[in-house]
Amino acid sequence: MNGLEIIDFFKPLEDNKNLFIRNIVLPSNIPDQEQVITGPAKNGLTHGYAQDIPVLFSRLHKTFSRYGLLYEVQVLPCQTSKLQENTSDEKSLPQTDIESLCYYAFVKFYSSVSAEKAKSALNLTHFVGTKACKVTFAKRKRTGSEKQVLFISQCFDLANFYLGFNGWSSSIKELKRELTDVCLSSKEDYCCFACTTNIVIHHHGLSVNGKGFSLLKFSSEDPASQIKAHGRCMKQAYQDSIQKAFSKVILVILGNGKVYTDINSSVPEDLEEFQPSYKSVAVTELEVEPELASDEDNLDEENINILSELETVFM
């Protein structure tokens, strides 16, 4: 099946979903309608890092989002060789010379098919500023870190884009406070909540559950602190459960645009009990009790003399 693609609810790390855009040079005067985005220019100037980057972000996001849902857009400044020959300190340049500054950007898609379409359509044909942009796949060095689940807002965006606003629904099955070992053994006050959320993909017959936890510390002497901690803890537990539920879903995109859903079998089952993320302290049990210092070792000479006199009296 040509054009088949599988998209999960994890942050996209693949190079074939990440586009590198270079050769971005803005004109010295930014159009008036785009100056509204960045606010009034300082000293009557309309060119510089602070003014250009929000404008470029808006332009790139509007252009590339035509080809698919975007995960993120990053705009970064770079200097031309002309500026590097003049001075290595950007702050020492007069404001009128900053018109030689250029930029590059990274645009990341959720779909590799969408990224390929954008690259083919926009490479050397799209003008963000005064020159045609070069669009290629990025080649970034990645560490061996585990894939991270999307934030709850990104899960909603991805589900709405491919399934539609009415294509799925969520409901809380259980939200309760838990008395964990941390809450019972710690001298400080903690609150822990567990939330189980169910997500249903309509017209696909798919239903998944996610169980999330949250642990927060509060001050028992401040009632307001306890109320806020409980509210935040319940909210974070709900968000964690939503993210874990979506992590179990994969989207199967066909070449004709149809979308199917299935269970992501690579995701482990949720924990039934809260597991703290910090490392526990190892305690070694001694076979022989250590010898304790006598009380006399902690007394000064004056106290020892007093004790000696008392012993003489009562003998």
Side-chain angles (χ1 to χ4, degrees), residues 125-142:
T125 62
H126 179 64
F127 287 78
V128 177
T130 59
K131 297 182 179 180
C133 297
K134 297 180 181 179
V135 183
T136 58
F137 286 119
K139 296 181 180 179
R140 286 186 167 182
K141 294 182 179 179
R142 295 186 299 271

Side-chain angles (χ1 to χ4, degrees), residues 42-53:
K42 297 181 180 180
N43 301 325
L45 299 172
T46 59
H47 200 39
Y49 289 147
Q51 290 77 31
D52 288 354
I53 289 180

Side-chain angles (χ1 to χ4, degrees), residues 89-315:
D89 186 6
E90 177 194 339
K91 294 182 179 179
S92 65
L93 288 173
Q95 290 286 348
T96 55
D97 291 338
I98 303 182
E99 62 182 11
S100 298
L101 292 177
C102 63
Y103 302 85
Y104 63 96
F106 293 96
V107 177
K108 189 174 293 185
F109 287 84
Y110 288 99
S111 167
S112 59
V113 176
S114 299
E116 176 63 36
K117 290 180 180 178
K119 173 181 172 295
S120 301
L122 300 177
N123 184 35
L124 297 177
T125 62
H126 179 64
F127 287 78
V128 177
T130 59
K131 297 182 179 180
C133 297
K134 297 180 181 179
V135 183
T136 58
F137 286 119
K139 296 181 180 179
R140 286 186 167 182
K141 294 182 179 179
R142 295 186 299 271
T143 58
S145 58
E146 296 182 357
K147 294 185 66 176
Q148 297 180 350
V149 183
L150 296 174
F151 293 121
I152 182 172
S153 59
Q154 296 169 329
C155 291
F156 290 163
D157 291 340
L158 188 58
N160 290 334
F161 185 84
Y162 285 102
L163 301 175
F165 290 97
N166 298 323
W168 65 279
S169 62
S170 65
S171 60
I172 298 177
K173 295 181 63 178
E174 186 180 38
L175 178 61
K176 63 178 182 179
R177 185 177 181 181
E178 289 204 344
L179 294 177
T180 63
D181 294 338
V182 178
C183 300
L184 297 175
S185 60
S186 177
K187 296 181 180 180
E188 298 179 307
D189 297 313
Y190 286 91
C191 65
C192 179
F193 277 87
C195 180
T196 302
T197 303
N198 174 252
I199 292 180
V200 177
I201 311 297
H202 304 305
H203 310 298
H204 291 255
L206 186 65
S207 176
V208 292
N209 293 331
K211 189 167 186 179
F213 297 91
S214 180
L215 178 70
L216 289 177
K217 183 171 64 174
F218 64 91
S219 174
S220 58
E221 299 178 356
D222 184 8
S225 172
Q226 182 175 356
I227 295 174
K228 291 179 180 179
H230 278 64
R232 288 180 54 198
C233 197
M234 288 188 287
K235 181 178 179 181
Q236 292 179 5
Y238 166 73
Q239 293 176 346
D240 187 35
S241 66
I242 285 285
Q243 293 172 188
K244 287 181 178 178
F246 271 116
S247 69
K248 301 176 182 179
V249 179
I250 57 174
L251 303 172
V252 182
I253 317 298
L254 303 183
N256 57 7
K258 291 185 177 181
V259 180
Y260 293 90
T261 58
D262 203 349
I263 299 295
N264 190 347
S265 58
S266 64
V267 177
E269 292 295 326
D270 296 332
L271 298 175
E272 292 298 328
E273 297 180 356
F274 174 76
Q275 298 291 337
S277 58
Y278 54 82
K279 297 181 179 179
S280 58
V281 179
V283 178
T284 304
E285 184 177 356
L286 299 178
E287 296 180 357
V288 181
E289 293 186 1
E291 295 182 359
L292 300 177
S294 62
D295 293 339
E296 292 186 358
D297 294 339
N298 298 325
L299 300 176
D300 54 22
E301 293 182 0
E302 183 178 355
N303 289 332
I304 292 176
N305 294 333
I306 294 175
L307 288 175
S308 300
E309 294 177 359
L310 290 175
E311 289 178 355
T312 304
V313 172
F314 289 101
M315 285 183 62

